[in-house]
Every structure is written in structure tokens, then in C-alpha cells.
Amino acid sequence: MSVEKEGWLIKKNERRYFVLIEDTLTWLTHPLGKVKGNIELKNYTVEVVKTGPEAEIVLEPLVKNVSLLKTYSLSSKNPDDLESWAKALEKIIKYRSLKAPTISSIRQGWLEKKGKKRWFLLKGDTLYWFTKQQFSGSDFQKEINGLLELYRCTVSEGPEGKLPKHSSHFNFTIANDHDVYVLTARSQLEQKEWVASIKEGIGKAEKAFSQRREELSMEEQIEKVGYLTKKGKKRFFVLRDCTLYWYDSEKGATHEHILKHLTNISRNAS
């Protein structure tokens, strides 16, 4: 993994240290501090918005109304630094858009949603829908009509509550804290297969969230950092969990710190 850019930005009126590694933007309290969050840029667009004499970088989700994907506003007291960050983010997002992701799904096919046929694609722990069929090798992210992340969702056969206008014997319901989706399959077999597949997706989402939370709770404690001289050479030392590490520079220590965090998340999500 290569570090594309790093430095200080302001997020929600607080200074955070940002590091851009491949297509993941991570922010920390300080270079060797606690990782406060990260986002995958493949899910976002970037724009520089000017409000009077000041400007800010706005990262917006590709698909609106997705509860787990937020809009982020970043600013800097240095206009040149902000412009440099905007160019770096735009470069990564543009590069990712040129690499069309292939479809590798648990299940896909036609379903009815509010009386309209939609092509549904269950990929990992996310359910996508489209107005037209998607084929292997296509850049499906450009065609997304909507999506639902399955964390904290439930699925059951048949509708919940009052029977909708476009109901049939092959309905099934997906619900979370905010929304209820009633979908219609073409047969009882398809209905049961979709319900089973979505339960599998929900299980993956719950497992990934649980493992991420456990990983964060077990985050290493950094007790002391600073420069010392070793064999006549200046080295950056980190005392972490009763073990002393040293690096060529502070940046080297920061990069390893973030890479370890991202590797643990990737491993837990797989």
C-alpha cells in the first residue's frame, strides 16, 4: 500500500491528521493517535465548494439516502493545501472510476419494488437495485438506482402490517430502524432463495461490525513517542504495549500505525 498524501485538515471544527492510502482516506487525532474513522473513496464524489472567501472539500456519497454513508466537509486555513488535497482526492476517485468493478454477487435477478420491476444485486452485505439488468464485467456502480446496507436489518417472508397494493404470495420484507422494503419474487422458490441469501448477507454485516468493534477496543496503547539517537543516527522511537519500536522518521511510524489498522479491518471484514 502506498501513501498518496497526508497532513492536517479541519473536520467539524476539529483538527485531524488525514492520510490517503490508495483509495482509503483515514483520519486520526494526531499522526500516531487513535484512528477516528475512514472512508473508501469509491463510494464518494469530491467537490470544492466556496462559501464567501473560504472554501471546503465536500465528499458526498454516490448514492443519496444511504444511512451509513455520510457527507463530509473538510477545510484548511491554507488555501494551497486545500487545493492540493482536492486534486489528490479527485485523482484517486477518477482512477477508481476507470477500473470497472466486476460483478461478484451472492444473488441477482428481477424483483418487484412498489409495483415496478427492478434488477437486484446482493453483493457482500449490501443490496443494490437498478432499472435495467446488469451483466458481468459492467461498471454497475454507475447504474445504481438505490442500495441498502444490511447491517441491523431483518428479513421475513410476506409483508409486515397492512398488505401493500402490489402484493402477492411471493412477497418478502426487509426492515431496519428507518425503512421497510416489500419486494416481490416471481415464484415461491425465488422468494425463499432471496430470503436465505439476504439472511446470509445480514450475517456477514453483523460479523464484520462485531469484529471491527472488537478490533477497535483492543487498539494498542502508545505510551511514549519521540526522537532518540541510536548508533549516531536520529531515529523516531515508539513505546507501545511494553515494546520499543524505532523508525527512520515519524512518518514511517504513522504509516505503519494506519496500515496495521486498515489491515485488521480488511481481515475482519473478509
Side-chain angles (χ1 to χ4, degrees), residues 218-224 238-245 260:
M218 294 174 64
E219 193 172 49
E220 294 177 317
Q221 296 299 310
I222 296 174
E223 297 157 29
K224 182 77 174 173
V238 178
L239 179 59
R240 181 194 299 134
D241 288 340
C242 300
T243 304
L244 187 63
Y245 303 84
K260 184 172 183 179

Side-chain angles (χ1 to χ4, degrees), residues 22-265:
E22 294 189 347
D23 67 343
T24 300
L25 183 64
T26 302
W27 54 96
L28 309 87
T29 53
H30 55 83
L32 279 170
K34 183 177 181 181
V35 175
K36 299 295 288 184
N38 55 56
I39 58 172
E40 292 185 28
L41 294 175
K42 65 181 181 181
N43 298 320
Y44 287 83
T45 62
V46 61
E47 182 182 6
V48 176
V49 177
K50 292 186 177 181
T51 53
E54 298 182 351
E56 60 182 8
I57 296 171
V58 177
L59 291 163
E60 285 194 317
L62 278 170
V63 180
K64 309 297 183 185
N65 302 321
V66 180
S67 59
L68 295 181
L69 294 182
K70 302 176 182 178
T71 297
Y72 296 90
S73 297
L74 311 174
S75 62
S76 173
K77 293 180 179 180
N78 186 333
D80 293 337
D81 198 26
L82 189 73
E83 183 180 353
S84 175
W85 267 104
K87 288 180 178 179
L89 294 169
E90 287 171 352
K91 178 183 175 182
I92 295 296
I93 290 173
K94 184 177 180 181
Y95 172 73
R96 282 296 176 187
S97 69
L98 294 174
K99 295 179 68 178
T102 56
I103 294 176
S104 176
S105 62
I106 299 174
R107 176 166 297 282
Q108 56 184 313
W110 291 105
L111 294 169
E112 281 191 16
K113 178 177 177 288
K114 294 183 178 180
K116 295 180 180 179
K117 285 183 67 178
R118 293 288 182 260
W119 183 264
F120 279 78
L121 169 68
L122 177 58
K123 182 178 173 67
D125 57 5
T126 304
L127 183 65
Y128 304 87
W129 55 92
F130 313 81
T131 55
K132 59 184 181 181
Q133 184 174 354
Q134 302 299 301
F135 297 94
S136 178
S138 64
D139 186 359
F140 72 90
Q141 289 186 336
K142 292 182 178 179
E143 304 290 339
I144 294 172
N145 186 243
L147 65 84
L148 175 64
E149 294 187 330
L150 296 176
Y151 173 63
R152 298 191 71 176
C153 285
T154 60
V155 62
S156 59
E157 294 181 14
E160 292 183 350
K162 186 178 178 181
L163 203 65
K165 184 185 295 185
H166 305 283
S167 63
S168 80
H169 295 297
F170 312 131
N171 287 335
F172 60 94
T173 301
I174 307 171
N176 58 24
D177 294 338
H178 309 286
D179 300 293
V180 176
Y181 299 85
V182 178
L183 307 176
T184 305
R186 293 175 294 185
S187 68
Q188 186 177 33
L189 177 61
E190 282 192 3
Q191 175 202 47
K192 292 184 177 298
E193 287 177 342
W194 270 105
V195 169
S197 296
I198 290 168
K199 284 181 178 179
E200 181 182 343
I202 292 171
K204 287 184 176 182
E206 298 289 345
K207 181 180 178 182
F209 179 81
S210 176
Q211 289 177 328
R212 282 193 200 104
R213 184 173 56 188
E214 182 180 346
E215 183 266 331
L216 287 171
S217 69
M218 294 174 64
E219 193 172 49
E220 294 177 317
Q221 296 299 310
I222 296 174
E223 297 157 29
K224 182 77 174 173
V225 299
Y227 281 99
L228 294 171
T229 301
K230 177 179 177 289
K231 293 185 178 180
K233 294 182 179 180
K234 194 177 180 182
R235 294 286 184 259
F236 189 80
F237 281 76
V238 178
L239 179 59
R240 181 194 299 134
D241 288 340
C242 300
T243 304
L244 187 63
Y245 303 84
W246 57 92
Y247 307 85
D248 290 339
S249 66
E250 183 177 358
K251 282 189 175 182
T254 303
H255 299 167
E256 183 179 292
H257 178 54
I258 294 169
L259 286 171
K260 184 172 183 179
H261 175 82
L262 294 177
T263 300
N264 284 338
I265 289 178

